[in-house]
Amino acid sequence: MDMPYARIHDMSYNAIETRLMGRFPFEAATSLLYFVKNGRVQHLMHRLKYEGHREVGEWMGASLAEELLSSERFHAMDYLIPVPLHPRKKKMRGYNQSEVIAQGMEQKGYGKLKHALKRVVDNTSQTRKDSLERWANVQDVFELDDSRELEGKRLLLLDDVMTTGATLEACANQLIKVDGVRLYVATIACAEF
C-alpha cells in the first residue's frame, strides 16, 4: 500500500521533535506517517477510531515497530506506554486505539505494553480545538497508575495522531516524575508540519 511514510526516526531535530522541544524532556520523537486532511491516513485513522477496525491499528503498530527496530535512536524500548482513554470512552469505543497500536508493536517484539497512565477526567474531544484550547483541555487529565516498574527504563509514549502535542505533553509530564526514565515519543501520524 502506497503510504506517506515520514522516515524521520534517525533525524535529530525532525519536525516532531521541534514541535515538542522545550515542553518536556525526551530522548527522541518520531512519527510513522504524514497526516493530510482528507488523505489516506485520515481515512485509516477514522476506520480505526470510529468504525471498529482494530486490525488497522495492529497493522500500523507492526509497521511502526518494523521501522523502529532498525533505527539507531529507537532500537530498544523497555515499555510501550499508550495514551489512555477514559474508561467510559473506552467502553463506548470497545478499545483504546493507542493500546491496539502498542499491541501490534509488541507482537513484532518491540517492547512490552505497559498501562502506566490512567485518564482520570473524561474531557471533551480535541478534534475541533485550537492549540491553546487543546492544551487547557488536557491539563490534569492524566495520572501515573503504577510507576514502580518504570524506574530507570526506556519508555515509548505512543499515540495515534499528533496535532499540537498537547496530549503527549500532558502524559509526558506524568511519566517524567519517575526516577531515571528515558522518554521517547512516537505517533502513527503527525498532522501537517
Side-chain angles (χ1 to χ4, degrees), residues 30-32 45 49 64 81-85 96-99 101-102 105 119 142 156-163 165-168 171 185-190:
T30 193
S31 190
L32 178 67
M45 289 298 181
K49 289 174 81 165
L64 180 57
I81 314 291
V83 169
L85 286 180
N96 172 353
Q97 70 275 5
S98 295
E99 185 178 323
I101 292 164
M105 296 179 78
R119 189 180 291 243
F142 303 101
L156 183 71
L157 177 59
L158 186 63
D159 204 2
D160 56 353
V161 179
M162 180 178 136
T163 306
T167 300
L168 292 167
C171 289
V185 177
T187 63
I188 292 300
C190 183

Side-chain angles (χ1 to χ4, degrees), residues 9-56:
H9 316 309
D10 287 319
M11 293 173 53
S12 296
Y13 306 108
N14 62 50
I16 307 291
E17 292 181 4
T18 302
R19 267 196 205 170
L20 297 175
M21 236 172 251
R23 294 165 70 174
F24 58 89
F26 62 91
E27 302 289 324
T30 193
S31 190
L32 178 67
L33 302 165
Y34 292 115
F35 182 98
V36 178
K37 193 167 176 66
N38 299 319
R40 178 174 283 156
V41 175
Q42 183 178 19
H43 174 70
L44 283 172
M45 289 298 181
H46 193 274
R47 293 185 70 204
L48 169 63
K49 289 174 81 165
Y50 307 113
E51 296 176 11
H53 290 275
R54 293 176 62 110
E55 72 280 0
V56 171

